[in-house]
Amino acid sequence: MAITSANQLELLQTAEAVAREKMIDPDLVIQAMEETLARAAKSRYGSELDIRVNIDRKTGRATFARVRTVMEDDLIENHHAQLTVKQAKNYLADPQIGDEVIDEVPPVDLGRIAAQSGKQVLLQRVREAERDRQYDEFKDRKGTIINGVVKREEYGNVIVDVGRGEGILRRNEKIGREAYRIGDRIRCFIKDVRREARGPQVFLSRTDPQFMAELFKMEVPEIYDGIIEIKAVARDPGSRAKIAVISYDNSIDPVGACVGMRGSRVQAVVNELQGEKIDIIPWNQDQATFLVNALQPAEVSKVVIDEEAGKIEVVVPDEQLSLAIGRRGQNVRLASQLTGLDIDIMTEAEESARRQAEFAERTKLFMDTLDVDEMMAQLLVSEGFGNLEEVAYVEADELLSIDGFDEGTAAELQARARDYLEEQARKALENARGMGVEESLINFEGLTPQMLEALAKDGIKTLEDFATCADWELAGGWTTENGQRKKDDGILETFDVSLEEAQTMVMTARVMLGWVDPTEMEPAAGDAEDSEPEEAEA
C-alpha cells in the first residue's frame, strides 16, 4: 500500500472512525499510524536509521524524514543516526550539541508483512489508550454503585458493560448462586479501579457490605442528606445482614426511616439483594448497649466486657441461646463483625455454674493456705477477695468490716497470708537460682521471685536475655490469623503485667546494658499500644 493523494484523507477518516468507536482522542490514533509507517520505513531503509513520520492533521499527507542528532565525538554510537559537530557543519550554519539534521526521504510502500505489523502496533496503541481512558473515567467512582448490562461470562466471572468500558464481577463477588444471561441488567458496587497490564480494570462486587450501605443511601433520603449515618454493616451475602444506624436529629427515628412506610424502603434493598434478610439496629456509643441491640432478636440478660482482650461475654436466658447464636452461628457472627469484638455466649445456667466453680476454687485456696474453716473462707470470697495478696496487703479496716472479724482475727489472717507468700517467694527464688538465673536479673527491679521462675522456665536467665524480649512476649496479646483472633500467652501474663509495664521493664533493661539512650525511654513508652500484636496480621 502506497501513501498517495488518493488515500491521504482516508488516513484521517480512519483515525476519526477508530477514535469515535473507542471513545479516545483521534490524535492518539494518528500517532499510532505515524509509528506504524516509521517501522515500515525502517524495514525498507535500515533499522539503524532514525526514521520519523509526520501526518498532517488537515490534509492527511505523510512526510517521511531521516533524523540525525548532533552529539559529542566520544559519545557517537550509531553513525547512521548521529553526527559530530564537525560533520554537522556541512548541513547547519552553527550546529550545537542536541541539534537535529532532518532530511526528507521518499515515502515507502507497505508490504503485506509491514502492513500486518503496522496493524498490530495500531491495535496495541488503541487498546492502551482505551484502558487509560477507562481508568481515568472510573478512578473517581470507586465506592459507588453503577448500572450495567451483562456482556458475557468467562469461567464463572461476569463481564459487565458499564457504559464507556467494561467491569468484571468475579465468582466470589456474586450473591449465592446468582446466574445471569447476556443482556440482563445488573446493579453492582465499584469495589476497586486499578491499572492492569491486560484485562478489565473495573472490579465489581455485589457481596461487599458497602454495596448494601450505598443501596440504603439511594433509598433513604435522610442518609443521603447526612441526617442519618450508617455506622457499621455486616453481611452474610444472600442470607442475612445487620446494619447499624444513628440519627443526628432527635425528631427522626433512624430505624423507622430506613424501614420506610410499610417497609417500602428496606424491601427495595432486600429485593436487590436476592431476598437477604436485613436487621436494622440503632447504633449506640456504649459497647454493651450496642451489642444488646446487635444480637436482636435474642434477649440479653448480662454483658461483661474485657476491653484489654477485646472480648465480650454475653449471658442469655436458656431458652434464648439458639436464637442468640443463630443458624450455624450466623447471628452471633454478624453481631461480632458489627461490633468488632469477640463474643462468647453462655446461658444463665452456664454462667451460674461457672461462678459457683470460681467461688469453690477461691474458697479452697483460702482454706488450704490460711488454715481457716470453710465458713470463714466463704466470707472472704463473698466480700470480693480473690487471692492471697489482697488479704495480706489490704488495709485492716477492710477485713474488720466483715461480720464476725475482730482485730485479732484480721491480724492473724494477714500474718498467715504474708508468711505463706514469703515462703512461696523463697522457694521460687531457690528454683530460679537452681535453673541458672543470674544475679543481674534477680536484682532487676519489678521482677518477683515467681516471675523469675517463670522466665527461667522459658529460657530467660540473664539481663541480656530479658532485654531482647518483646513486650507482648511478656504480657501476652492477640493476633489475627485467617480472619480469626488468636490469643498469644505471655510469660508474665499470669502475674497481671500489662503491655505498658512490660515495655517499660524491657526498655529499662536495655538502658542498663547501654543498648538504648535514656532519652528514648519516653517516646518508646508512648508507643506501647502500637507494638501490641493485636494489630498484626498473620
Side-chain angles (χ1 to χ4, degrees), residues 150-162:
V150 175
K151 200 170 184 179
R152 62 185 183 278
E153 188 169 350
E154 298 176 352
Y155 308 107
N157 302 325
V158 178
I159 307 302
V160 181
D161 183 348
V162 289

Side-chain angles (χ1 to χ4, degrees), residues 488-532:
D488 288 324
D489 293 328
I491 304 169
L492 304 180
E493 187 173 355
T494 55
F495 303 100
D496 294 329
V497 174
S498 68
L499 273 170
E500 292 77 10
E501 291 169 340
Q503 188 174 52
T504 300
M505 286 194 291
V506 169
M507 290 302 296
T508 302
R510 292 173 184 174
V511 170
M512 290 172 65
L513 291 167
W515 295 358
V516 175
D517 190 311
T519 57
E520 296 181 27
M521 283 285 289
E522 214 170 294
D527 294 336
E529 291 184 8
D530 297 336
S531 65
E532 187 175 353

Side-chain angles (χ1 to χ4, degrees), residues 15 104 114 158 203 211-212 217 270 309 332 367 377 437 504 515 527:
E104 190 168 343
V158 178
F203 296 90
F211 178 45
M212 188 173 75
K217 189 181 293 185
V270 169
V332 68
M367 289 173 64
V437 175
T504 300
W515 295 358
D527 294 336

